[in-house]
Every structure is written in C-alpha cells, then in structure tokens.
Amino acid sequence: MNAKETTRGHSFEDYFKRAVNPMVVMSLLIERPKYAYEMTQELKDKTNSEYTMPLLYPVLYRLQNQGFIEEAEKLISENNRVRNYYRLTPLGYQRLEEMKQEYLQLCRNVDDLVDLSETT
C-alpha cells in the first residue's frame, strides 16, 4: 500500500483539502463574484497548478445551502454556455473570518505538536 493512502484509499492531502476547500472557495470570492471555471483557473494561477479542486461544484452547493454564498447572476457566454456567478453573503464574510482564525489556531497547535524542522 502507498504510504500516502489509508485503509480507505484517501490521502492526507484529500482529507486536508476536504477541510479547507470551503475556506479556499470563499476566499476566492472576496474580491468579486466569480463563476466556477474562473475559480478553478485562479487556483491554478495562484498555486502554479499545485492546488486543484476537481470537485468544486459540491463545495459550491454546500456553501450555498449553508447560506455562505449565493448566486449573483447567470450570464450566457459567447458560446452559449451558462455561467453562474457566485458571491459571498454577509454571513459568508463573517464565517470566512471565523474559519481563518480557526485555521490559524489549528496550525499553531499542530506546529507545537509536530516537529517540522526535521522535514526536508
């Protein structure tokens, strides 16, 4: 078995991304409303294609159901594709700030527990 896999076949990266993807998506929407493909491209650009989110739509739908994002508008592109633009709600802005604080605190706690200086 690959060292990156667990008994269920999910890697550390899979679990980590599942936890932080909502925060990442909401962070992408701080500046202005965006559609899914635009968010995917921004992820690639900002991370040199290292951070991908192949299952973006379930994250968008979950955030929408939770009231953290909403559909801003629907536009039809030149090639007749519908683009759903999403934006943060006031509740989403508040939750994003909470998530950032929780994330920072968790990182501090993990740093205190795990000796990262030995990692090469």
Side-chain angles (χ1 to χ4, degrees), residues 84-119:
N84 292 325
Y85 284 79
Y86 297 92
R87 68 174 165 226
L88 281 175
T89 64
L91 184 62
Y93 281 103
Q94 178 183 344
R95 181 62 185 131
L96 177 57
E97 288 307 311
E98 292 169 356
M99 291 172 87
K100 287 179 182 180
Q101 293 306 312
E102 291 171 16
Y103 178 81
L104 287 172
Q105 187 59 50
L106 284 167
C107 287
R108 283 187 211 108
N109 291 339
V110 170
D111 284 348
D112 289 344
L113 294 168
V114 178
D115 185 7
L116 297 176
S117 63
E118 294 179 12
T119 306

Side-chain angles (χ1 to χ4, degrees), residues 11 39-40 43-44 48 54 62 65 105 113 118:
S11 68
M39 287 183 248
T40 301
L43 276 174
K44 285 182 180 181
N48 205 21
R62 188 169 57 247
N65 287 337
Q105 187 59 50
L113 294 168
E118 294 179 12

Side-chain angles (χ1 to χ4, degrees), residues 3-57:
K4 292 174 88 176
E5 296 176 353
T6 67
T7 56
R8 298 199 190 270
H10 295 287
S11 68
F12 174 81
E13 182 180 2
D14 292 336
Y15 284 113
F16 180 81
K17 283 183 173 182
R18 181 168 170 80
V20 299
N21 277 346
M23 182 174 63
V24 168
V25 168
M26 291 195 315
S27 293
L28 292 172
L29 296 174
I30 284 178
E31 297 171 5
R32 62 179 172 77
K34 295 177 182 146
Y35 58 98
Y37 180 76
E38 185 178 14
M39 287 183 248
T40 301
Q41 289 305 114
E42 189 172 340
L43 276 174
K44 285 182 180 181
D45 293 344
K46 286 185 173 183
T47 66
N48 205 21
S49 297
E50 290 188 31
Y51 194 103
T52 60
M53 196 180 308
L55 299 175
L56 175 60
Y57 281 102

